[in-house]
């Protein structure tokens, strides 16, 4: 019987990114998907800064950006009239190396990730389905349906990245409470003509309608995402572009000369009751689904993968205590609830037919351009949308504070005087200590004994502005979050933290 360490079920963005991380750590894995080929349609369109920061750690950020298109301008339309042109080019300047939103259709994104995974020597096994599995004390025994027939394989851990209808979640008996929005959504890839068929992103609102228009790079077509009109009473599977064409025409004056593909779907808001059951984990849509407001879904799944991968690798390679894995559900289920609550509020504001909400949209929406000219508002919006503000302060593996930074926060980013930045070293994918001054001998000795990389940065105004504190130490996790923040280079606190988790960094090559 073949023995691999991890079985990943589902080869969407979440599963592919998890596999990429694990392959970088040298973990033996299989990734399977019951679909015969990669998807050719997609709903997710935006890649945010935090996701690009993870991709930088994996060495693929520049190539991902090249495959997409930076969203430089968003034009808003309210009640069929343009009301604002909002610059989004670099609205997060000073907060991340990637101060923009990247437009990249999920199908293009998936093909890129699968190609990268193949370069790493891992092939997605298609037409392969998880039929059942049995949890044992030290392993998972999985029964797989393949093109060669049924087979049984043993793994140490199972990762369910298999979407909203997750078989892993179902077989674990994990609940998926929540609800379904009454609206039916559509997504289309079409060749269109009209005033909004340009290089900008457009977003249109009416009393009961939403329509997003995204230009697609290197192809003469646009991605349209919206809500099917209420007067369309067909079964969801029978709805076609002709049923929404008049709405698109009236809302943004677009005419479609060719529709490459069209699909409809319901949107749910649900969070799984647990993200872990024994040796099985849930990630991405298997654990949480919500409205498309803010383009958070795919990015959150990639965040799940980036959180779990280094923990699995450390435990499998005996470089940390098994209790480290308890922090995955503790950290990510809190993020899932936060996303569901915030996107639900945004979505309700956008589409609620109530008189109060219609009036609020009519009065507040036109104020957005003026608000976005205020630096503090731009920074707030970027932090919220880009996911760089997500933190794990209540996590069992987060501790301490120094400056404005607390254990669990993403390490604040800033540029160094030589044009580099303090995130550059995170490509090591390893625990490391950052100090923003010259480190004392006691800290050097501790790091050398523990096998930790010690990164020393000169103190600067930029470091202070980012919220860091001089003479403090920041123990940075492999995913770029701060595990421990300790003022005055508290070596004893560092020793206690490392001993508690039994952290042993990888051997340097």
């Amino acid at each position: 019987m073949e023995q691999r360490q991890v079985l990943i079920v589902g080869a969407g963005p979440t599963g592919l990114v998890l596999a990429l991380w694990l392959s970088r750590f040298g973990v033996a894995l299989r990734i399977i998907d019951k679909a015969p080929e990669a998807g050719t349609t997609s709903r997710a369109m935006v890649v945010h800064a935090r996701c690009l920061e993870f991709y930088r750690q994996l060495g693929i950020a520049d190539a991902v950006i090249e495959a997409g298109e930076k969203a430089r301008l968003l034009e808003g339309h309210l009640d069929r009239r343009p009301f604002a042109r909002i610059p989004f080019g670099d609205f997060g300047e000073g907060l991340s190396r990637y101060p923009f939103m990247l437009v990249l259709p999920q199908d293009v994104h998936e093909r890129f990730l699968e190609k990268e995974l193949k370069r790493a020597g891992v092939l997605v096994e298609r037409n392969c389905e998880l039929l059942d599995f049995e949890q044992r004390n030290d392993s998972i025994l999985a029964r797989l349906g393949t093109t060669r027939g049924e087979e049984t394989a043993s793994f140490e851990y199972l990762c369910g990245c298999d979407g909203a209808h997750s078989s892993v979640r179902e077989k674990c008996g994990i609940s998926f409470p929540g609800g379904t929005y009454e609206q039916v959504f559509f997504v289309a890839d079409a060749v269109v003509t009209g005033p909004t068929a340009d290089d900008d992103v457009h977003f249109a609102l009416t009393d009961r309608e939403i329509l997003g228009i995204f230009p697609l790079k290197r192809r003469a077509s646009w991605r349209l995402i919206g809500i099917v009109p209420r007067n369309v009473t067909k079964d969801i599977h029978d709805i076609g572009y002709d049923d929404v064409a008049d709405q698109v025409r009236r809302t943004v004056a677009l005419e479609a000369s060719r529709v490459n593909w069209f699909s409809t779907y319901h949107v749910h808001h649900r969070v799984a009751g647990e993200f872990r059951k024994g040796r099985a984990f849930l990630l991405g849509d298997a654990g949480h689904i919500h409205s498309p407001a803010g383009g958070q879904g795919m990015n959150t799944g990639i965040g799940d993968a980036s959180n779990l991968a280094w923990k699995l690798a450390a435990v499998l390679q005996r470089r940390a205590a098994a209790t480290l894995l308890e922090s995955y559900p503790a950290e990510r289920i809190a993020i899932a609830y936060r996303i569901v609550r915030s996107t639900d509020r945004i979505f309700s504001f956008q589409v609620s037919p109530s008189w109060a909400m219609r009036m609020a949209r009519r009065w507040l929406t036109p104020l957005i351009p003026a608000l976005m000219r205020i630096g503090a508002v731009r920074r707030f919006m970027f932090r919220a949308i880009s996911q760089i503000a997500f933190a794990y302060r209540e996590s069992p593996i987060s501790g301490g504070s120094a400056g404005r930074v607390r254990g669990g926060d993403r390490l604040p980013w800033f540029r160094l005087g030589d044009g580099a930045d303090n995130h550059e070293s995170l490509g090591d994918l390893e625990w490391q200590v950052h100090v923003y001054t010259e480190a004392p001998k006691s800290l050097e000795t501790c790091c050398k004994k523990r096998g930790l990389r010690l990164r020393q940065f000169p103190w600067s105004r930029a470091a202070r502005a980012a919220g860091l504190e001089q003479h403090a130490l920041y123990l940075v996790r492999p995913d770029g979050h701060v595990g421990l923040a300790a003022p005055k280079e508290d070596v004893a606190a560092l020793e206690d933290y490392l001993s508690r988790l039994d952290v042993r960094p990888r051997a340097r090559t």
Side-chain angles (χ1 to χ4, degrees), residues 468-480:
L468 297 160
E469 182 178 302
Q470 191 176 16
H471 301 299
L473 72 80
Y474 300 92
L475 176 62
V476 185
R477 309 175 348 175
D479 61 355

Side-chain angles (χ1 to χ4, degrees), residues 213-246:
I213 305 162
F214 301 85
L216 301 182
K217 188 172 185 177
R218 299 194 184 99
R219 60 174 93 168
S221 62
W222 283 258
R223 187 64 45 86
L224 311 179
I225 302 175
I227 295 176
V228 175
R230 289 173 179 262
N231 60 4
V232 177
T233 57
K234 295 180 179 179
D235 182 270
I236 186 172
H237 302 293
D238 296 328
I239 298 171
Y241 186 81
D242 289 344
D243 296 302
V244 303
D246 185 58

